Amino acid sequence: MAGTLALAVDEGVQVTLVTATLGEQGEVIGDELQGLVAERADQLGGYRLTELRAACAAIGVTDQRMLGGVGGFRDSGMAGTPSAAHPRAFVRAAPGAPDHQRAVDAVVAVIDEVRPQVLLTYDSDGGYGHPDHVVAHQVALAAAQVAGWRIPRVLGVVRPETRTRAAFAAFTVPPGYLSAGADGVGFLAPDDAVVFAVFVAQVTATRRRALAAHATQVELLPKGFALSNRIAQPLTDTEYYRLLAGAPLPRRPDGSPTGDVFAGLA
């Protein structure tokens, strides 16, 4: 959703970014910084905080916060890994888990302070199933419910099936990278679930600078990117969302999704 955030910043909208963890359990691209990973020096989280702040600077986001403060929650790792048992693992903020209310209260406090018109988060599948992404969705929805009228609209970022498959079909995978197709990089949403299609081509350079800032996680490719798995993916000109809660969406005269996440709001 970096393009959506960049457009909002360009239009003078105050953007607040709340991040749940430091990404401590992640893999690292390249040899130089391999010693930072959790199994060795366990310093990756601090390094990725500097990457996050550089990405925010590239987009123009000046209000970036860590949920519960820096180190308040820890990257849980992928499903079934031992890191999920860490006492600060963000999976402990899932509904019914010990830290759920603490996480929800922390998001509600930000909502009360900044009074956003729109809250953007992951969809229920977390994009590609990462447990922390799923919990971020759950916590965001719970916080929005507590906040009630104070947050008019909640949107989840998605990849619509038809458009995503077309983007992968048109994308040329560079030599040395892998091709998994649209089915190999995450979940696809039914086309009729999409209610916002935000055209972000005008901030392509900004999005690429933000991605480049996350150098331990992302490699930029011509018209795309790859994560540590070296699976090449297209970077499309549109970001898509579905409505999770709040005000219904106006549509264009032809029935297609509107491109303004604030459409219909006072």
Side-chain angles (χ1 to χ4, degrees):
M1 61 182 72
T4 305
L5 301 184
L7 286 176
V9 169
D10 286 352
E11 292 168 2
V13 175
Q14 174 60 43
V15 175
T16 297
L17 177 65
V18 181
T19 308
T21 82
L22 295 169
E24 297 93 335
Q25 295 298 139
E27 298 176 343
V28 172
I29 294 174
D31 296 330
E32 180 185 4
L33 300 177
Q34 287 298 324
L36 297 177
V37 298
E39 294 76 13
R40 297 175 69 179
D42 197 16
Q43 297 295 309
L44 182 56
Y47 191 89
R48 284 191 165 171
L49 179 60
T50 67
E51 292 182 328
L52 174 62
R53 288 176 172 170
C56 286
I59 296 171
V61 172
T62 58
D63 186 10
Q64 187 276 318
R65 311 180 188 204
M66 298 303 302
L67 188 67
V70 175
F73 291 99
R74 184 179 173 91
D75 182 357
S76 306
M78 295 304 292
T81 57
S83 52
H86 192 284
R88 289 188 291 108
F90 192 52
V91 289
R92 292 172 56 88
D99 289 331
H100 179 66
Q101 194 59 51
R102 177 166 72 92
V104 171
D105 289 346
V107 176
V108 171
V110 177
I111 292 172
D112 284 344
E113 177 187 344
V114 304
R115 296 297 176 97
Q117 287 184 293
V118 177
L119 172 63
L120 305 180
T121 186
Y122 294 104
D123 201 13
S124 58
D125 56 22
Y128 63 93
H130 194 297
D132 288 345
H133 295 190
V134 173
V135 174
H137 164 89
Q138 294 166 338
V139 168
L141 277 188
Q145 184 175 18
V146 171
W149 60 268
R150 289 167 288 180
I151 181 159
R153 180 174 290 155
V154 184
L155 302 175
V157 64
V158 295
R159 285 179 166 181
E161 183 169 8
T162 299
R163 296 177 180 89
T164 302
R165 292 191 188 281
F168 271 85
F171 179 60
T172 300
V173 176
Y177 290 86
L178 304 175
S179 175
D183 292 312
V185 295
F187 298 103
L188 304 180
D191 294 338
D192 59 6
V194 176
V195 293
F196 281 106
V198 183
F199 188 63
V200 295
Q202 69 192 76
V203 291
T204 293
T206 298
R207 294 169 79 204
R208 289 181 66 84
R209 285 195 299 271
L211 277 172
H214 294 283
T216 61
Q217 305 175 67
V218 179
E219 288 183 273
L220 283 180
L221 306 173
K223 298 184 178 181
F225 65 97
L227 304 180
S228 58
N229 57 17
R230 297 188 65 79
I231 294 175
Q233 305 183 45
L235 186 63
T236 64
D237 289 336
T238 310
E239 295 174 350
Y240 299 96
Y241 301 88
R242 76 178 185 93
L243 182 67
L244 300 179
L249 289 305
R251 285 185 172 254
R252 296 189 177 102
D254 64 359
S256 63
T258 180
D260 178 8
V261 297
F262 300 104
L265 299 179

mmCIF file with all atom_site columns, all heavy atoms in Angstrom, residues 95-109:
data_model
loop_
_atom_site.group_PDB
_atom_site.id
_atom_site.type_symbol
_atom_site.label_atom_id
_atom_site.label_alt_id
_atom_site.label_comp_id
_atom_site.label_asym_id
_atom_site.label_entity_id
_atom_site.label_seq_id
_atom_site.pdbx_PDB_ins_code
_atom_site.Cartn_x
_atom_site.Cartn_y
_atom_site.Cartn_z
_atom_site.occupancy
_atom_site.B_iso_or_equiv
_atom_site.pdbx_formal_charge
_atom_site.auth_seq_id
_atom_site.auth_comp_id
_atom_site.auth_asym_id
_atom_site.auth_atom_id
_atom_site.pdbx_PDB_model_num
ATOM 1   N N   . PRO A 1 95  ? -7.055 -12.724 18.876 1.00 0.00 ? 95  PRO A N   1
ATOM 2   C CA  . PRO A 1 95  ? -8.249 -12.767 19.736 1.00 0.00 ? 95  PRO A CA  1
ATOM 3   C C   . PRO A 1 95  ? -8.212 -13.965 20.675 1.00 0.00 ? 95  PRO A C   1
ATOM 4   O O   . PRO A 1 95  ? -7.951 -15.099 20.259 1.00 0.00 ? 95  PRO A O   1
ATOM 5   C CB  . PRO A 1 95  ? -9.390 -12.881 18.719 1.00 0.00 ? 95  PRO A CB  1
ATOM 6   C CG  . PRO A 1 95  ? -8.858 -12.227 17.490 1.00 0.00 ? 95  PRO A CG  1
ATOM 7   C CD  . PRO A 1 95  ? -7.408 -12.579 17.451 1.00 0.00 ? 95  PRO A CD  1
ATOM 8   N N   . GLY A 1 96  ? -8.439 -13.718 21.958 1.00 0.00 ? 96  GLY A N   1
ATOM 9   C CA  . GLY A 1 96  ? -8.429 -14.772 22.962 1.00 0.00 ? 96  GLY A CA  1
ATOM 10  C C   . GLY A 1 96  ? -7.066 -15.054 23.548 1.00 0.00 ? 96  GLY A C   1
ATOM 11  O O   . GLY A 1 96  ? -6.947 -15.774 24.540 1.00 0.00 ? 96  GLY A O   1
ATOM 12  N N   . ALA A 1 97  ? -6.000 -14.506 22.954 1.00 0.00 ? 97  ALA A N   1
ATOM 13  C CA  . ALA A 1 97  ? -4.637 -14.712 23.455 1.00 0.00 ? 97  ALA A CA  1
ATOM 14  C C   . ALA A 1 97  ? -4.307 -13.639 24.502 1.00 0.00 ? 97  ALA A C   1
ATOM 15  O O   . ALA A 1 97  ? -4.981 -12.606 24.602 1.00 0.00 ? 97  ALA A O   1
ATOM 16  C CB  . ALA A 1 97  ? -3.646 -14.682 22.303 1.00 0.00 ? 97  ALA A CB  1
ATOM 17  N N   . PRO A 1 98  ? -3.253 -13.864 25.294 1.00 0.00 ? 98  PRO A N   1
ATOM 18  C CA  . PRO A 1 98  ? -2.990 -12.992 26.452 1.00 0.00 ? 98  PRO A CA  1
ATOM 19  C C   . PRO A 1 98  ? -2.792 -11.515 26.136 1.00 0.00 ? 98  PRO A C   1
ATOM 20  O O   . PRO A 1 98  ? -3.154 -10.657 26.945 1.00 0.00 ? 98  PRO A O   1
ATOM 21  C CB  . PRO A 1 98  ? -1.710 -13.603 27.049 1.00 0.00 ? 98  PRO A CB  1
ATOM 22  C CG  . PRO A 1 98  ? -1.719 -15.022 26.612 1.00 0.00 ? 98  PRO A CG  1
ATOM 23  C CD  . PRO A 1 98  ? -2.350 -15.036 25.259 1.00 0.00 ? 98  PRO A CD  1
ATOM 24  N N   . ASP A 1 99  ? -2.197 -11.189 24.991 1.00 0.00 ? 99  ASP A N   1
ATOM 25  C CA  . ASP A 1 99  ? -1.859 -9.792  24.710 1.00 0.00 ? 99  ASP A CA  1
ATOM 26  C C   . ASP A 1 99  ? -2.820 -9.108  23.746 1.00 0.00 ? 99  ASP A C   1
ATOM 27  O O   . ASP A 1 99  ? -2.546 -8.001  23.275 1.00 0.00 ? 99  ASP A O   1
ATOM 28  C CB  . ASP A 1 99  ? -0.437 -9.707  24.141 1.00 0.00 ? 99  ASP A CB  1
ATOM 29  C CG  . ASP A 1 99  ? 0.625  -9.997  25.184 1.00 0.00 ? 99  ASP A CG  1
ATOM 30  O OD1 . ASP A 1 99  ? 0.378  -9.729  26.371 1.00 0.00 ? 99  ASP A OD1 1
ATOM 31  O OD2 . ASP A 1 99  ? 1.703  -10.499 24.815 1.00 0.00 ? 99  ASP A OD2 1
ATOM 32  N N   . HIS A 1 100 ? -3.947 -9.753  23.462 1.00 0.00 ? 100 HIS A N   1
ATOM 33  C CA  . HIS A 1 100 ? -4.877 -9.170  22.495 1.00 0.00 ? 100 HIS A CA  1
ATOM 34  C C   . HIS A 1 100 ? -5.370 -7.800  22.942 1.00 0.00 ? 100 HIS A C   1
ATOM 35  O O   . HIS A 1 100 ? -5.301 -6.826  22.176 1.00 0.00 ? 100 HIS A O   1
ATOM 36  C CB  . HIS A 1 100 ? -6.061 -10.103 22.277 1.00 0.00 ? 100 HIS A CB  1
ATOM 37  C CG  . HIS A 1 100 ? -7.082 -9.573  21.308 1.00 0.00 ? 100 HIS A CG  1
ATOM 38  N ND1 . HIS A 1 100 ? -6.818 -9.396  19.971 1.00 0.00 ? 100 HIS A ND1 1
ATOM 39  C CD2 . HIS A 1 100 ? -8.380 -9.172  21.494 1.00 0.00 ? 100 HIS A CD2 1
ATOM 40  C CE1 . HIS A 1 100 ? -7.898 -8.910  19.369 1.00 0.00 ? 100 HIS A CE1 1
ATOM 41  N NE2 . HIS A 1 100 ? -8.841 -8.764  20.259 1.00 0.00 ? 100 HIS A NE2 1
ATOM 42  N N   . GLN A 1 101 ? -5.831 -7.700  24.154 1.00 0.00 ? 101 GLN A N   1
ATOM 43  C CA  . GLN A 1 101 ? -6.405 -6.438  24.603 1.00 0.00 ? 101 GLN A CA  1
ATOM 44  C C   . GLN A 1 101 ? -5.360 -5.341  24.664 1.00 0.00 ? 101 GLN A C   1
ATOM 45  O O   . GLN A 1 101 ? -5.639 -4.177  24.343 1.00 0.00 ? 101 GLN A O   1
ATOM 46  C CB  . GLN A 1 101 ? -7.072 -6.602  25.975 1.00 0.00 ? 101 GLN A CB  1
ATOM 47  C CG  . GLN A 1 101 ? -7.983 -5.438  26.349 1.00 0.00 ? 101 GLN A CG  1
ATOM 48  C CD  . GLN A 1 101 ? -9.107 -5.240  25.333 1.00 0.00 ? 101 GLN A CD  1
ATOM 49  O OE1 . GLN A 1 101 ? -9.827 -6.175  24.991 1.00 0.00 ? 101 GLN A OE1 1
ATOM 50  N NE2 . GLN A 1 101 ? -9.265 -4.022  24.821 1.00 0.00 ? 101 GLN A NE2 1
ATOM 51  N N   . ARG A 1 102 ? -4.141 -5.689  25.040 1.00 0.00 ? 102 ARG A N   1
ATOM 52  C CA  . ARG A 1 102 ? -3.063 -4.687  25.086 1.00 0.00 ? 102 ARG A CA  1
ATOM 53  C C   . ARG A 1 102 ? -2.811 -4.120  23.689 1.00 0.00 ? 102 ARG A C   1
ATOM 54  O O   . ARG A 1 102 ? -2.646 -2.909  23.530 1.00 0.00 ? 102 ARG A O   1
ATOM 55  C CB  . ARG A 1 102 ? -1.790 -5.308  25.655 1.00 0.00 ? 102 ARG A CB  1
ATOM 56  C CG  . ARG A 1 102 ? -0.589 -4.359  25.679 1.00 0.00 ? 102 ARG A CG  1
ATOM 57  C CD  . ARG A 1 102 ? 0.526  -4.904  26.550 1.00 0.00 ? 102 ARG A CD  1
ATOM 58  N NE  . ARG A 1 102 ? 1.213  -6.031  25.954 1.00 0.00 ? 102 ARG A NE  1
ATOM 59  C CZ  . ARG A 1 102 ? 2.301  -5.934  25.197 1.00 0.00 ? 102 ARG A CZ  1
ATOM 60  N NH1 . ARG A 1 102 ? 2.806  -4.731  24.916 1.00 0.00 ? 102 ARG A NH1 1
ATOM 61  N NH2 . ARG A 1 102 ? 2.892  -7.011  24.721 1.00 0.00 ? 102 ARG A NH2 1
ATOM 62  N N   . ALA A 1 103 ? -2.771 -4.987  22.692 1.00 0.00 ? 103 ALA A N   1
ATOM 63  C CA  . ALA A 1 103 ? -2.544 -4.527  21.330 1.00 0.00 ? 103 ALA A CA  1
ATOM 64  C C   . ALA A 1 103 ? -3.711 -3.681  20.831 1.00 0.00 ? 103 ALA A C   1
ATOM 65  O O   . ALA A 1 103 ? -3.510 -2.626  20.216 1.00 0.00 ? 103 ALA A O   1
ATOM 66  C CB  . ALA A 1 103 ? -2.323 -5.720  20.404 1.00 0.00 ? 103 ALA A CB  1
ATOM 67  N N   . VAL A 1 104 ? -4.937 -4.134  21.091 1.00 0.00 ? 104 VAL A N   1
ATOM 68  C CA  . VAL A 1 104 ? -6.116 -3.379  20.669 1.00 0.00 ? 104 VAL A CA  1
ATOM 69  C C   . VAL A 1 104 ? -6.135 -2.010  21.328 1.00 0.00 ? 104 VAL A C   1
ATOM 70  O O   . VAL A 1 104 ? -6.373 -0.984  20.665 1.00 0.00 ? 104 VAL A O   1
ATOM 71  C CB  . VAL A 1 104 ? -7.405 -4.159  20.988 1.00 0.00 ? 104 VAL A CB  1
ATOM 72  C CG1 . VAL A 1 104 ? -8.635 -3.292  20.750 1.00 0.00 ? 104 VAL A CG1 1
ATOM 73  C CG2 . VAL A 1 104 ? -7.489 -5.428  20.145 1.00 0.00 ? 104 VAL A CG2 1
ATOM 74  N N   . ASP A 1 105 ? -5.875 -1.960  22.609 1.00 0.00 ? 105 ASP A N   1
ATOM 75  C CA  . ASP A 1 105 ? -5.868 -0.677  23.324 1.00 0.00 ? 105 ASP A CA  1
ATOM 76  C C   . ASP A 1 105 ? -4.833 0.275   22.744 1.00 0.00 ? 105 ASP A C   1
ATOM 77  O O   . ASP A 1 105 ? -5.057 1.494   22.667 1.00 0.00 ? 105 ASP A O   1
ATOM 78  C CB  . ASP A 1 105 ? -5.584 -0.899  24.809 1.00 0.00 ? 105 ASP A CB  1
ATOM 79  C CG  . ASP A 1 105 ? -6.739 -1.564  25.541 1.00 0.00 ? 105 ASP A CG  1
ATOM 80  O OD1 . ASP A 1 105 ? -7.855 -1.613  24.986 1.00 0.00 ? 105 ASP A OD1 1
ATOM 81  O OD2 . ASP A 1 105 ? -6.526 -2.043  26.676 1.00 0.00 ? 105 ASP A OD2 1
ATOM 82  N N   . ALA A 1 106 ? -3.678 -0.268  22.331 1.00 0.00 ? 106 ALA A N   1
ATOM 83  C CA  . ALA A 1 106 ? -2.633 0.575   21.769 1.00 0.00 ? 106 ALA A CA  1
ATOM 84  C C   . ALA A 1 106 ? -3.075 1.184   20.445 1.00 0.00 ? 106 ALA A C   1
ATOM 85  O O   . ALA A 1 106 ? -2.795 2.358   20.158 1.00 0.00 ? 106 ALA A O   1
ATOM 86  C CB  . ALA A 1 106 ? -1.355 -0.232  21.583 1.00 0.00 ? 106 ALA A CB  1
ATOM 87  N N   . VAL A 1 107 ? -3.780 0.414   19.599 1.00 0.00 ? 107 VAL A N   1
ATOM 88  C CA  . VAL A 1 107 ? -4.278 0.954   18.335 1.00 0.00 ? 107 VAL A CA  1
ATOM 89  C C   . VAL A 1 107 ? -5.389 1.966   18.594 1.00 0.00 ? 107 VAL A C   1
ATOM 90  O O   . VAL A 1 107 ? -5.438 3.026   17.956 1.00 0.00 ? 107 VAL A O   1
ATOM 91  C CB  . VAL A 1 107 ? -4.774 -0.176  17.415 1.00 0.00 ? 107 VAL A CB  1
ATOM 92  C CG1 . VAL A 1 107 ? -5.377 0.405   16.131 1.00 0.00 ? 107 VAL A CG1 1
ATOM 93  C CG2 . VAL A 1 107 ? -3.632 -1.126  17.063 1.00 0.00 ? 107 VAL A CG2 1
ATOM 94  N N   . VAL A 1 108 ? -6.276 1.664   19.529 1.00 0.00 ? 108 VAL A N   1
ATOM 95  C CA  . VAL A 1 108 ? -7.360 2.598   19.857 1.00 0.00 ? 108 VAL A CA  1
ATOM 96  C C   . VAL A 1 108 ? -6.795 3.933   20.338 1.00 0.00 ? 108 VAL A C   1
ATOM 97  O O   . VAL A 1 108 ? -7.313 5.001   19.984 1.00 0.00 ? 108 VAL A O   1
ATOM 98  C CB  . VAL A 1 108 ? -8.301 1.992   20.911 1.00 0.00 ? 108 VAL A CB  1
ATOM 99  C CG1 . VAL A 1 108 ? -9.294 3.043   21.423 1.00 0.00 ? 108 VAL A CG1 1
ATOM 100 C CG2 . VAL A 1 108 ? -9.063 0.811   20.330 1.00 0.00 ? 108 VAL A CG2 1
ATOM 101 N N   . ALA A 1 109 ? -5.716 3.880   21.101 1.00 0.00 ? 109 ALA A N   1
ATOM 102 C CA  . ALA A 1 109 ? -5.092 5.117   21.582 1.00 0.00 ? 109 ALA A CA  1
ATOM 103 C C   . ALA A 1 109 ? -4.607 5.976   20.413 1.00 0.00 ? 109 ALA A C   1
ATOM 104 O O   . ALA A 1 109 ? -4.750 7.212   20.431 1.00 0.00 ? 109 ALA A O   1
ATOM 105 C CB  . ALA A 1 109 ? -3.935 4.793   22.517 1.00 0.00 ? 109 ALA A CB  1
#
